[in-house]
Amino acid sequence: MALAEVRVEEVEPMDNEPQARPEELRLLEALLFASSEPLDTATLAKRMPDGVDVKAALAQLQAEYATRGVNLVRVANKWTFRTAGDLAWLMTRESTETRRLSRAAIEVLAIIAYHQPVTRAEIEEIRGVVTSKGTLDVLLETGWIKPRGRRKTPGRPLTFGTTDTFLSQFTLEQLGDLPGLEELKGTGLLDSRLPTGFSVPTPSDDPALREDEDPLEPGDLDLALAPAVEPETPEEGGNEGGEG
């Protein structure tokens, strides 16, 4: 009798067997892992079976990965997997090998982020110093800023704004997630004794051109990164004045 009871216990299923996951979660997981760049909800929905609530499935998948080594995050209104924030120290070597931005470049980037669309002259007016073309070139090469259009003023200067790459780099879902006045004071980045009426602008994610902007022209993107043209010098030994 005792032997029979033991045999019954041996064939009972284990309670800790892996549970089957909903198919839509497996599909989303595969799509996001396979993609080399973040994907928006609409793109994911096109690859899913009819009737799947993609937003709900993403929320469930995000919850599943919340305590893992990689998290599902949304940046620039797109979804991607990222290393968990508390494990950032694993990337210390890579981050220290990255070229650091100069203080001027950081200031210019901050001005563009908060004041976009903004021209080079407007950046200089806010900073109070001349901005070298090299500073803008560095930011353009990182892909964090881009020319938006041309201001409808004499000279029609380029206007600049931030990119989705900027949002992704700083793990921002939207520009509205940039720290406001009180947050900047709390971090010590701004003096608590600011002039009366001082404010931090609220940046907009609207990519549409403003009323005072014209669309970019062909070649404007190339012009933004074009090297400075060196003045030509006369060649030595030339026959100046013609033949005698």
Side-chain angles (χ1 to χ4, degrees):
M1 188 65 174
L3 182 59
E5 291 178 353
V6 171
R7 287 176 179 173
V8 170
E9 291 178 358
E10 287 179 350
V11 297
E12 287 181 352
M14 300 294 291
D15 292 335
N16 60 353
E17 287 184 357
Q19 299 295 317
R21 296 173 72 226
E23 187 66 14
E24 58 266 26
L25 295 188
R26 298 181 65 243
L27 291 172
L28 283 175
E29 194 174 46
L31 287 170
L32 291 165
F33 267 118
S35 177
S36 59
E37 58 186 16
L39 300 174
D40 57 33
T41 305
T43 300
L44 290 168
K46 291 178 182 178
R47 305 292 298 274
M48 301 294 291
D50 293 338
V52 172
D53 186 341
V54 177
K55 291 184 178 179
L58 284 167
Q60 185 176 345
L61 193 62
Q62 187 177 41
E64 281 190 10
Y65 276 87
T67 58
R68 299 186 182 182
V70 292
N71 299 152
L72 179 61
V73 299
R74 186 167 62 172
V75 293
N77 292 318
K78 297 180 180 179
W79 295 89
T80 187
F81 283 108
R82 289 284 178 84
T83 302
D86 61 330
L87 299 180
W89 58 271
L90 291 171
M91 307 300 291
T92 300
R93 179 179 178 185
E94 287 77 4
S95 61
T96 55
E97 292 177 351
T98 302
R99 181 175 59 179
R100 292 182 179 275
L101 290 179
S102 65
R103 178 172 180 174
I106 294 173
E107 290 177 358
V108 170
L109 179 62
I111 290 171
I112 293 174
Y114 281 95
H115 292 266
Q116 59 187 301
V118 62
T119 66
R120 178 176 171 180
E122 291 164 348
I123 294 171
E124 293 175 348
E125 182 179 356
I126 294 170
R127 292 186 67 216
V129 295
V130 174
T131 300
S132 70
K133 185 178 183 298
T135 300
L136 285 172
D137 285 346
V138 168
L139 295 176
L140 287 165
E141 289 169 358
T142 63
W144 295 349
I145 68 169
K146 66 179 180 181
R148 280 175 45 101
R150 284 190 174 276
R151 184 77 79 213
K152 295 179 180 178
T153 57
R156 302 182 67 247
L158 288 170
T159 58
F160 295 94
T162 54
T163 64
D164 285 351
T165 304
F166 167 80
L167 295 177
S168 178
Q169 174 67 31
F170 294 96
T171 319
L172 299 171
E173 183 176 334
Q174 56 189 356
L175 285 175
D177 293 335
L178 285 169
L181 180 59
E182 296 305 320
E183 291 174 286
L184 291 172
K185 284 182 180 179
T187 59
L189 295 175
L190 286 179
D191 194 324
S192 58
R193 297 169 295 178
L194 293 170
T196 303
F198 181 88
S199 63
V200 173
T202 302
S204 170
D205 285 289
D206 187 359
L209 295 177
R210 308 288 175 85
E211 292 183 359
D212 61 351
E213 288 181 289
D214 280 328
L216 292 172
E217 300 172 351
D220 278 342
L221 295 178
D222 295 332
L223 179 63
L225 281 172
V229 178
E230 298 293 336
E232 295 184 1
T233 56
E235 296 182 3
E236 297 182 1
N239 294 328
E240 296 182 8
E243 297 180 358

